[in-house]
């Protein structure tokens, strides 16, 4: 990971508003999240999140592509998804208070907005009910698709 210059709130809010997981949150909540965001840069082929780790932040992809892999008993690492700009990852461990359900590694050079678990949960409580419901549906769908909740 490399250090980076920060973005202004005005630059961060459009990134947050394009992330489908945040559908339904208002401008006030977007500003609250934007104030907590930190930029992180990764080179190609770096591990961002390791399956089984304790989750301490979530990531929103600004630029680049990552692969989502899970460890299987028979096949080793199995790619289950590819994510790109606007996608969010790392939220499952934070919202469900479980260990990381997958490995996330960069395919290309990537830039992320990151939000610590503590900061995200502090703002999450102010999200409208429909926005919290949307996030929980996304989390449940990802858990079902990966089957990771059974393997950990």
């Amino acid at each position: 990971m490399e250090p980076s210059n920060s973005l202004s709130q005005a630059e961060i809010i459009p990134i947050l508003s394009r992330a489908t997981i945040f559908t339904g949150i208002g401008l006030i909540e977007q500003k609250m999240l934007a104030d907590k965001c930190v930029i992180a840069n990764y080179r190609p082929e770096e591990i961002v999140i390791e399956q089984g780790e304790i989750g301490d932040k979530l990531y929103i992809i600004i630029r680049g592509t990552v692969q989502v892999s899970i460890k299987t008993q028979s096949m080793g690492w199995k790619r289950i998804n590819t994510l790109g700009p606007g996608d969010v990852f790392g939220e499952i461990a934070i919202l469900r208070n479980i260990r990381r359900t997958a490995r996330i590694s960069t395919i290309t050079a990537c830039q992320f907005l990151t939000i610590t678990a503590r900061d995200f949960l502090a703002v999450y409580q102010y999200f409208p009910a429909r926005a919290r419901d949307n996030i929980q549906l996304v989390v449940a769908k990802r858990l079902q698709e990966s089957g990771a909740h059974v393997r950990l």
Side-chain angles (χ1 to χ4, degrees):
M1 184 176 73
E2 299 173 0
S4 174
N5 299 332
S6 62
L7 296 175
S8 71
Q9 187 185 72
E11 293 170 304
I12 293 172
I13 288 173
I15 296 166
L16 295 173
S17 67
R18 287 189 297 268
T20 56
I21 195 168
F22 295 133
T23 299
I25 70 169
L27 185 58
I28 292 170
E29 294 86 4
Q30 288 176 1
K31 286 180 178 180
M32 292 169 71
L33 281 177
D35 288 342
K36 305 293 186 184
C37 288
V38 175
I39 302 294
N41 292 298
Y42 284 77
R43 295 184 189 112
E45 299 181 21
E46 280 192 80
I47 295 173
V48 181
I49 287 178
E50 185 60 82
Q51 184 174 330
E53 289 178 336
I54 294 172
D56 61 346
K57 66 179 73 164
L58 67 81
Y59 300 76
I60 304 157
I61 304 172
I62 299 171
R63 193 170 44 242
T65 307
V66 300
Q67 75 176 13
V68 182
S69 305
I70 56 172
K71 187 156 181 105
T72 64
Q73 292 184 3
S74 60
M75 297 174 26
W77 290 100
K78 176 184 174 189
R79 182 191 302 198
I80 60 168
N81 204 354
T82 302
L83 304 174
D87 289 325
V88 176
F89 61 90
E91 78 290 349
I92 294 172
I94 293 169
L95 290 167
R96 296 293 173 95
N97 197 26
I98 59 176
R99 292 186 178 271
R100 299 289 193 189
T101 59
R103 171 189 280 178
I104 308 292
S105 53
T106 58
I107 297 171
T108 63
C110 291
Q111 185 174 57
F112 307 111
L113 284 178
T114 66
I115 307 169
T116 67
R118 182 178 181 171
D119 287 342
F120 178 75
L121 292 172
V123 175
Y124 179 76
Q125 67 182 328
Y126 297 105
F127 287 7
R130 72 181 185 283
R132 290 191 311 267
D133 291 347
N134 176 61
I135 291 169
Q136 292 298 335
L137 286 170
V138 169
V139 168
K141 182 180 177 189
R142 286 185 180 179
L143 281 170
Q144 184 179 29
E145 287 173 352
S146 72
H149 62 291
V150 174
R151 292 186 181 88
L152 296 178

